[in-house]
Amino acid sequence: MFARSRLSRFIQTNASVLQRRLASTKSLRETLEEVIPAKQEQLKRLKVEHGQTVVGDVKVENIIGGMRGLKAMLWDASVLDPNEGIRFHGLSISDCQKVLPPAPNGKEIIAESMLWLLLTGKVPTVEQTRQLSRELAEKGELPTYVENLLDSLPNTLHPMTQLGMGVAALNRESSFQAAYERGIKKSEYWTYTFDDSINLIAKLPALAARIYRNVYKPNTALPSIDKDLDLVGNYTRLLGYGNNESLTEYLRLYIALHGDHEGGNASAHTAHLVGSTLADPYLSYSAALFALAGPLHGLANQEVLRWQLAMQKEIGSNVTHENIKDYLWKTLKSGQVVPGYGHGVLRNPDPRFIALQEFCNTRPELQNSPIIELVNKTSEVAPDVLKEHGKTKNPYPNVDATSGCVLYHYGLNEFKYYTVIFGVSRALGALTQLVWARALGLPLERPKSLSIEALEKLAKQ
């Protein structure tokens, strides 16, 4: 009897261990297949029970003011709170830094673990993250026709234009488009969208690196993709910075943190809008990249860097709070804004800025960097100056206040290329939510527009 009891406990214990082991090695697709039914049921229940519930008012200022603040879009991966900042499936940035697996011998979040979280709402194991890194590396080479296209472009063509063109050209590879043309069930849309999205994310480092090579370092040989490296490890290697461990770690953190920032920003919303037409992920994300290329969206860290360098040139090595304060007032009195401060939603310091500053504090070379010192001291002075100026709702630094300056310190000083790095990153959120839009059967986006006259008439009723 005793032996039988021991055997039973042994079987139960080993079954539990086996179950955990099997769970820890499930692929991203298998994990997603498990979570989709519950989310579909949740949305169905929401529509039935609360379909007519009012969740906000629409004011004239919302309609003519860029639709800011309107609650009008479903986006499940992240929520941006004005006071707390971004949360990814409920996890803050500091939470993510604690639980998301880094690269081997690294400390920072990597793209693969953030991608897994955004897509499934679950924290991957180390084994799952490594498995995903291997899958992305194996799919990372560019088709010859895309290489030829990029190589044929003039090196004076903006890098973001080239990136959008390259992504759109990959549409030839679309499994969703091919499946749609031959006829598939709506319930299968997400599976082909998933395949395309993973394939595109895998190819972005090679695509972005080839553009960098062609524009800035022509005739330089590009290395092949290392199947043992993570996505960003390969990206920095292809850029020619593979031996710079600090830059690689910084880009891992940068790309993870920039991966998603709610769905209402211009690039994410563009991907969602174009995707709602059932355009494949390549076409949808190429459209998003052209939105990201706009000066009001993806160029901010370049503007910050130019402004900080101009300040550095004017005040010289005598970097004091008083000198910085004088330069801030000079900027404001000239009618310009102080770049890198304020945010369309946030009303407190951007947690992404804080995370990047904490990274700087762990690296001696950044602690001793003149440009990073200037960023730090500016962040100590600017909020009080902006409060006194009285024309901003948020006087605190956002992520752009430091992100480009760190790239500049590490020698990546081709300003126009910075938005390409942003474009590699933002795919994580935009494409995962495109998969979910197909899984949840979200419809074609079609808001109602009004003329000025119609709006005036409506407002007077």
Side-chain angles (χ1 to χ4, degrees):
M1 187 74 176
F2 179 70
R4 189 176 299 169
S5 176
R6 285 184 60 188
L7 178 61
S8 176
R9 285 199 302 273
F10 176 82
I11 292 172
Q12 290 175 355
T13 299
N14 280 274
S16 178
V17 170
L18 178 62
Q19 189 174 25
R20 288 198 300 272
R21 187 174 297 163
L22 289 172
S24 72
T25 55
K26 283 181 179 175
S27 70
L28 180 57
R29 187 191 189 99
E30 290 169 336
T31 305
L32 185 58
E33 286 173 342
E34 286 186 347
V35 300
I36 281 176
K39 188 67 69 174
Q40 289 173 329
E41 184 59 34
Q42 183 184 10
L43 181 62
K44 181 180 178 181
R45 189 168 60 249
L46 179 66
K47 289 164 69 175
V48 170
E49 297 178 2
H50 302 289
Q52 300 303 310
T53 301
V54 176
V55 294
D57 297 319
V58 179
K59 299 181 177 67
V60 171
E61 66 178 12
N62 299 130
I63 298 172
I64 64 177
M67 298 191 290
R68 285 180 182 263
L70 286 184
K71 301 178 181 70
M73 185 178 179
L74 184 64
W75 193 271
D76 226 33
S78 64
V79 175
L80 183 57
D81 182 88
N83 298 311
E84 291 187 351
I86 195 69
R87 284 184 176 269
F88 307 105
H89 285 290
L91 297 180
S92 67
I93 288 174
S94 59
D95 292 335
C96 290
Q97 290 176 302
K98 292 172 186 173
V99 300
L100 292 181
N105 302 316
K107 295 181 179 179
E108 304 300 334
I109 309 168
I110 60 173
E112 289 87 339
S113 45
M114 180 58 77
L115 171 61
W116 195 292
L117 174 64
L118 293 175
L119 190 56
T120 69
K122 296 182 179 295
V123 174
T125 64
V126 171
E127 293 87 348
Q128 287 171 323
T129 307
R130 301 289 175 266
Q131 182 185 65
L132 181 55
S133 291
R134 167 68 66 163
E135 180 182 354
L136 294 176
E138 289 175 348
K139 295 177 177 178
E141 300 288 352
L142 293 177
T144 302
Y145 71 89
V146 174
E147 293 181 342
N148 292 339
L149 170 66
L150 295 176
D151 294 348
S152 72
L153 299 174
N155 61 11
T156 53
L157 189 63
H158 197 288
M160 281 299 289
T161 307
Q162 297 191 41
L163 183 63
M165 291 173 67
V167 169
L170 283 166
N171 150 269
R172 179 182 174 185
E173 310 293 305
S174 176
S175 60
F176 176 83
Q177 185 185 61
Y180 187 83
E181 288 177 357
R182 69 173 179 264
I184 53 172
K185 298 177 182 178
K186 287 185 177 180
S187 60
E188 297 176 334
Y189 284 179
W190 78 263
T191 63
Y192 297 98
T193 303
F194 172 85
D195 291 341
D196 281 354
S197 297
I198 293 300
N199 193 50
L200 174 51
I201 290 169
K203 287 175 169 48
L204 281 173
L207 189 61
R210 196 171 195 90
I211 293 167
Y212 180 78
R213 191 279 305 270
N214 288 352
V215 174
Y216 302 109
K217 298 182 180 180
N219 304 318
T220 302
L222 282 167
S224 59
I225 290 174
D226 187 336
K227 302 298 191 294
D228 294 324
L229 287 178
D230 63 292
L231 190 81
V232 177
N234 264 310
Y235 186 26
T236 52
R237 182 170 178 268
L238 292 169
L239 288 172
Y241 291 89
N243 293 327
N244 191 327
E245 180 269 338
S246 292
L247 176 59
T248 301
E249 278 285 89
Y250 174 70
L251 283 175
R252 283 170 177 147
L253 178 62
Y254 174 103
I255 286 175
L257 296 186
H258 283 76
D260 199 38
H261 211 234
E262 257 192 7
N265 65 75
S267 54
H269 187 195
T270 300
H272 176 79
L273 170 62
V274 177
S276 77
T277 71
L278 294 186
D280 64 64
Y282 304 102
L283 297 180
S284 301
Y285 195 60
S286 68
L289 288 168
F290 292 127
L292 190 64
L296 293 182
H297 188 19
L299 273 63
N301 66 356
Q302 302 170 38
E303 294 175 354
V304 170
L305 179 53
R306 289 190 182 95
W307 180 77
Q308 292 276 204
L309 289 172
M311 182 196 296
Q312 188 181 55
K313 183 178 180 179
E314 180 162 319
I315 68 178
S317 58
N318 187 24
V319 182
T320 66
H321 285 165
E322 195 61 33
N323 285 343
I324 293 172
K325 183 177 180 180
D326 290 343
Y327 193 84
L328 284 162
W329 277 114
K330 178 182 176 181
T331 299
L332 293 168
K333 288 177 180 178
S334 71
Q336 301 176 61
V337 299
V338 175
Y341 286 78
H343 190 272
V345 177
L346 291 171
R347 295 296 173 261
N348 278 319
D350 189 340
R352 298 172 300 172
F353 170 82
I354 295 170
L356 295 186
Q357 286 298 95
E358 288 173 349
F359 176 89
C360 293
N361 293 337
T362 67
R363 303 281 168 168
E365 71 275 12
L366 292 175
Q367 291 174 334
N368 297 320
S369 168
I371 192 67
I372 301 304
E373 178 192 12
L374 194 57
V375 169
N376 290 337
K377 289 189 175 180
T378 301
S379 71
E380 295 166 359
V381 177
D384 287 339
V385 170
L386 291 169
K387 287 176 186 176
E388 186 179 343
H389 187 245
K391 292 186 179 180
T392 178
K393 294 180 180 178
N394 174 11
Y396 301 107
N398 60 51
V399 68
D400 298 310
T402 191
S403 60
C405 297
V406 179
L407 295 173
Y408 180 82
H409 168 84
Y410 282 125
L412 201 63
N413 53 21
E414 297 86 3
F415 293 10
K416 286 185 177 181
Y417 188 76
Y418 289 2
T419 317
V420 173
I421 301 173
F422 197 171
V424 172
S425 170
R426 188 47 59 89
L428 302 180
L431 293 174
T432 56
Q433 293 311 289
L434 190 56
V435 174
W436 273 104
R438 304 279 165 86
L440 296 174
L442 299 186
L444 175 68
E445 186 173 295
R446 183 35 171 110
K448 171 65 177 170
S449 64
L450 295 168
S451 66
I452 294 178
E453 289 77 11
L455 194 54
E456 285 177 332
K457 184 178 179 180
L458 190 62
K460 291 175 183 177
Q461 289 181 356

